């Protein structure tokens, strides 16, 4: 998965705002899942032809909005929305989805397995 961002230097919005908006939209649409590791500030700046400060400003705004989180030297990641329980469930769902894919299940088969587990747990 790659981060597809297009910055229009002639656009009405500042480049940092274009970056912030596009990352937030991709997260909201599920294109960038919880736990996705974003490029480094310098790396993304080089890829987009922007100043590192511009990317850093967009990342700070996204972090303030709760869209991403920085984990020190480990990098910057798409954050789970909501409280700790929601984050834990999102990570469990992500792990389940990755495991189901590795096992060769189709999305429909994975959903069926999850639905059965939910019915059993909440019965």
């Amino acid at each position: 998965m790659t981060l597809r961002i297009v910055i229009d230097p002639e656009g009405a919005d500042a480049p940092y705002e274009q970056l912030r908006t596009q990352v937030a939209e991709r997260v909201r649409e599920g294109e960038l899942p919880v736990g996705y590791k974003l490029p480094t500030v310098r790396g993304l700046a080089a890829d987009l032809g922007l100043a590192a400060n511009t990317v850093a400003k967009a990342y700070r705004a996204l972090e303030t909005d709760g869209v991403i989180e920085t984990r020190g030297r480990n990098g910057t990641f798409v954050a789970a929305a909501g409280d700790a329980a929601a984050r834990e469930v999102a990570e469990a769902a992500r792990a389940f989805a990755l495991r189901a894919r590795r096992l060769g299940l189709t999305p429909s088969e994975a959903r069926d397995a999850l639905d059965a587990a939910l019915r059993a747990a909440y019965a």
Side-chain angles (χ1 to χ4, degrees):
M1 177 183 308
T2 58
L3 182 60
R4 295 175 293 118
I5 300 292
V6 177
I7 302 299
D8 179 3
E10 310 282 315
D13 291 329
Y16 91 90
E17 182 60 24
Q18 292 179 50
L19 175 58
R20 188 203 63 75
T21 300
Q22 289 179 53
V23 170
E25 285 174 358
R26 284 177 180 66
V27 170
R28 191 172 38 258
E29 293 168 359
E31 289 180 43
L32 298 177
V34 171
Y36 176 82
K37 186 174 183 179
L38 294 164
T40 64
V41 167
R42 287 183 181 155
L44 187 55
D47 289 347
L48 297 175
L50 298 172
N53 286 341
T54 300
V55 174
K57 184 175 181 179
Y59 274 19
R60 281 192 305 275
L62 288 162
E63 191 161 20
T64 299
D65 293 344
V67 175
I68 65 173
E69 61 186 1
T70 300
R71 301 179 190 161
R73 292 180 180 236
N74 292 323
T76 303
F77 298 83
V78 172
D83 60 15
R87 283 188 209 138
E88 190 173 333
V89 168
E91 182 55 37
R94 181 177 178 281
F96 168 79
L98 291 172
R99 176 73 184 228
R101 189 177 74 184
R102 279 193 302 269
L103 292 172
L105 274 69
T106 65
S108 178
E109 291 168 331
R111 273 189 222 94
D112 290 345
L114 180 58
D115 287 342
L118 287 169
R119 280 191 301 276
Y122 285 92

